[in-house]
Structure formats: structure tokens, C-alpha cells
Amino acid sequence: MTLLPPAPAPTGALLLLPTPAPRLADHVARLGPVPLPAADAVLDVVRAGGLRGRGGAWRSTAAKMDAVRARAARARAARPGRAPLVAANAAEGEPASGKDAALATASPHLVLDGLQLAARAVGAEHAVVHGHPGPALDALAAAAAERAPHDPVPVRLVAVPRAYVAGQETAVARAAEGGPALPRPRPRDGAPAEVAGAPALVLNVETLARLALTVRGLPAPGPLVTVSAPDLPPRALELRPGARVRDALAAADADLPGRTRAVLVGGYAGTWLTADAALDRELSPEGLAPVGASPGAGVLLAATTGTCVLATTAAVVRYLADSSARQCGPCWRGLPHLAGLVEELAAGRGGPEGLARLREAVGLVVGRGACAHPDGAASTVASALAAVPDDVAAHLAGRCAEVRP
Amino acid sequence: MSGRRPAADARLTVDWTACEGRGVCAELLPEVLTTDPWGYPLPAGPGPDGTPRPWPRRDGLPVAPASVADARRAVRMCPRLALRLEEDARRRA
Ligand code: SF4
Ligand code: SF4
């Protein structure tokens, strides 16, 4: 996708998306130099601040740091000299997301402050910035060069081709070793990714920027989101704390909430909600959990009046099928099969029998891949069927009530 | 691994990047596994509304004590060495 210019301020001063992007001297003048306390002190602040991963998983950053520290202690005992690696993950393969690129372009020094702090927390001796070639990576590279004389831990750039799964944690680790940016299996979900036998702490760029603000004792910024609609290209926005889905849509386009029928929340691998269910929910894991969704990486894709939710879903699942890293059979065979069945339904073909085969195809991909890519596609399809049952019924009868009345 | 080890809470995981869907595992372990339309292992038995039973990605597929010996054999016989059985005696205590 195209990289986005930082969006204009919806409210007040923006902490994550300042314009223009500050150079190091302005950054330090504005926020002060990054404090680099001892490892345990960084961890205490992270824990107290309740920092969670903004790449989409919302895992506790403190828990992730703890896991890397524990694994690093074991790795060192086995082979002395093996220090963990930290990675700033700027790979944003999600086509409907642009917030990481906007953030990295607007606040590269904040991200790199966070990277140094993360390195401090786990005792890392080297760091990488992982991302796709483009303005965001260029901004991070220029910032890293500018501050290299002051940064205690050296930072290396790893540019990888744009791909949906290139930002998976194990793909970041693999690329850092010089391999392809593709996921690899790990013994258990939640175990740290590894680079050459040492654990790697991989944190999304927004998580790192928030870490740098938290350690400075600054208030936590509100959600950073990317909003798009059929007639609205993806737009990155920093919202006020406590913002609801409605606020995010309205910040992108004032009358978008009024003409939205349903929202795909969390991205291509997300959850469809009707406008009624979604609009007044707070944009947080807690706010969205009661309706079975998560903000994921802060992606909101609105299906507006006159848009077929099932056709949109078909396009999304086809995209996910084409994005399979083709390493795992149930993923590269199962996702195209699933996409074909959603396309049949969206076209008003297939009938009840096709719908039964579609439900079966969803079950066939769940949990069956080295990464959660197939599960994401399953979630999007299952939630579409649940959110718009009337549309499904109309399509079974061979017509789309929304587009072809 | 000795087949005489006490059967414990065991969980089967597949390295999906290695599995080639020849279905040897489902033949050796029919009470636990069946195959999908392409031959890749799938949990045996019906799932919700007649759909396939989802594979528990996070923890692996539970294997009942009576099937653990067969599961160990499937792990040994998988031509791609794609299967792993995690046996955790502590979970029983
Ligand atoms: S599940 Fe799919 S995307 Fe993930 S590693 Fe396997 S083939 Fe690649
Ligand atoms: S025996 Fe091994 S390679 Fe064959 S289907 Fe089972 S897990 Fe896959």
C-alpha cells in the first residue's frame, strides 16, 4: 500500500504523530533526552504502565521482556557471550494499516528511544530495525544515523520485501539472521523468537514509541488507528484517550459513522461487527471484547451503504490466500479453497450447500499453520456470516440486497 | 523413547511447514486423527454443527492415555518428522 502522510490533528497536541517530524535536536528539546535507567527500573515502569504490544496481539510487554530475560539467562549459561537481540518491527503488511508508517515517519526518534530502552531492559547488545523499503524506513535510517554517536546499542537496518506475513515475530528473527522474512514454527506460542540461538525481543514501532513516553513519565497517548472505507484510502489518526470506534470513523470523515453498515475491526484478519454493535465501543481490547473483537493493530475498515460485506470479505480472504507464505499445507491449500467458497456466496451462487461447505472450510484452516495467518482468515469469514445474516440469506436466494436491490 | 513410560497428559503438535500430508499419522492413530481433503492431519470426530474439529494451535491436540503408545509410534513413523508429542507428567499430579 502507499505510505501515508501523518493525518492532521483531530485534537490537541499529538504525541505520536507530530508535524513536522522532529530532528534529533528538536526531539530532545521537546521531550528531553531519553532516560536510560537500569534494566530492572525499565521493567518496573513497563509493568506499572501496563504497556501492551501494538502490532496487533496486545501481549503484555513486561511479560515478553521477562520471557526474553529468562531465556537469555539460560542461553548464556549454555554458551557464554550470547546476548539477546532487540528488534523494532516496522513491517506493516496489512493493506488496511498505515499507522506504523505514519508513526515511524513522524516520530523516528521516539521509536529509536524505545528501542534503546528495550535493549536496556533485556541486556541486548545489538538492535535491528525491520521494515519495508520506503519513506518510513528511510526516516528511521536517517534518525538512527543522526543519533548513532549517542546510542549505547548499535542499530542495524533490515529491509525486507513487503509481504503480509513479513512482520510476524519469527519472520523478523529469521530476517535478522540473513534469512527470508517468513514465519517459522516455534515450540510453543508465547516462547520468544530466536536469532542464532539467542532470544529476540521483537516490538512493534508504536509499542516502542509508547515505551519511550512512559519511561519519561508522560501521559499515554490515545489510540493510533488507520481508518478506511471503499471511497476513503487508509488514513492514520491519533485519537484522544478513551476514543470510541465512532470517533475514529468521524475523525477520518465527519459523516462516515452515519453511512457505515458494518466495520471490519482489527484488520484483514479481524472481526466484522455491525455498526450498531461497533460504533459506541471504546477502541481498546476491553471495550471490544464484549462484542468478540479486538482492535488488533488499530485497523478499522468501514463497509458503507451500498457496499456488500460478503464481497468485501471475499476480496479480503482472496488477498490473505495470496499472501500465504506457502510453507504449510492447510494454509496454502485451505485458504484458496476458502476464498473460492466466499466468492461463490458473494456472487449469489452456491446456495445452502455452498454455505455448508464454506462453514466446513473455515474449520479446516483454524489452528493449522506455523503462524496464525489461517486463523485470521477464518475469523474474518466466520464473523461476516454472524454479523450480516440477512445479507447471507439474500445471497443464498441469489441476490445482494445492498448492491443489486 | 520407551513405550513403557507411564501415559501422561500428552499433546500432539504438527510442524505444518514440514508436513506433506501423506496421512501416515492418521492411519496409525485413527482414534485421534483423520485427514482433510488434501491429506493433512485433522482432529478425528465431528466438531460443532458437523464442521471439522478445530486444531488447538496453542496447546496441541490432546491425546488420551490409551492412545499415547500409538501416538509415539506415529511420531517415529512420520516420513517428514513433522509430529511432536509433548508428554508432561507434572500436569497429572
Ligand atoms: S500458516 Fe501460512 S502464512 Fe503462516 S507460516 Fe504457514 S504457510 Fe506461512
Ligand atoms: S505422517 Fe507426518 S507428513 Fe504425513 S500427514 Fe502425518 S504429520 Fe504430515
Side-chain angles (χ1 to χ4, degrees), chain A residues 164-165 168 170 174 182-185 320 323-332 335 365 368-375, chain B residues 16-17 57:
Chain A
Y164 192 84
V165 295
Q168 294 266 348
T170 54
R174 231 168 136 179
L182 294 176
R184 65 179 160 209
L320 293 175
S323 311
S324 160
R326 299 183 67 87
Q327 301 189 105
C328 313
C331 179
W332 74 264
L335 291 188
V365 298
R368 299 172 77 228
C371 73
H373 186 65
D375 303 65
Chain B
W16 298 104
T17 65
R57 192 172 84 92

Side-chain angles (χ1 to χ4, degrees), chain A residues 183-185 187-190 327-330 332-335 337 356 359-361 363-364 366-372 375, chain B residues 13-19 35-38 40-43 49-59 84 86 88 91:
Chain A
R184 65 179 160 209
R188 235 177 243 288
D189 270 6
Q327 301 189 105
C328 313
W332 74 264
R333 316 269 325 232
L335 291 188
H337 173 66
R359 290 192 196 278
E360 183 187 16
L364 280 179
V366 173
R368 299 172 77 228
C371 73
D375 303 65
Chain B
T13 54
V14 180
D15 175 352
W16 298 104
T17 65
C19 169
T35 51
D36 71 9
W38 306 283
Y40 301 104
L42 193 69
D49 303 331
T51 58
R53 270 177 66 203
W55 191 284
R57 192 172 84 92
R58 211 183 158 83
D59 299 318
R84 221 177 104 150
E86 288 189 36
D88 188 350
R91 282 199 222 170

Side-chain angles (χ1 to χ4, degrees), chain A residues 189-387:
Chain A
D189 270 6
E194 293 198 359
V195 174
L201 177 66
V202 180
L203 294 174
N204 166 264
V205 286
E206 184 191 343
T207 313
L208 290 170
R210 288 177 183 274
L211 170 60
L213 293 171
T214 306
V215 171
R216 284 184 168 95
L218 293 165
L224 192 57
V225 297
T226 316
V227 176
S228 59
D231 57 346
L232 196 78
R235 183 129 184 244
L237 298 154
E238 180 181 340
L239 307 168
R240 60 169 176 77
R244 297 163 301 164
V245 173
R246 177 190 300 283
D247 304 322
L249 300 189
D253 171 12
D255 56 52
L256 186 54
R259 57 194 181 88
T260 293
R261 298 177 61 223
V263 190
L264 181 57
V265 178
Y268 275 24
T271 307
W272 278 106
L273 297 175
T274 59
D276 276 353
L279 287 183
D280 290 311
R281 292 277 150 193
E282 191 182 304
L283 256 168
S284 66
E286 293 69 32
L288 287 162
V291 284
S294 160
V299 174
L300 296 172
L301 199 138
T304 46
T305 316
T307 312
C308 175
V309 168
L310 298 176
T312 308
T313 304
V316 163
V317 177
R318 177 58 67 187
Y319 183 92
L320 293 175
D322 290 345
S323 311
S324 160
R326 299 183 67 87
Q327 301 189 105
C328 313
C331 179
W332 74 264
R333 316 269 325 232
L335 291 188
H337 173 66
L338 179 63
L341 291 167
V342 184
E343 283 160 1
E344 289 273 293
L345 175 66
R349 294 191 300 261
E353 198 180 302
L355 181 61
R357 290 178 61 213
L358 172 55
R359 290 192 196 278
E360 183 187 16
V362 169
L364 280 179
V365 298
V366 173
R368 299 172 77 228
C371 73
H373 186 65
D375 303 65
S379 159
T380 299
V381 176
S383 63
L385 298 181

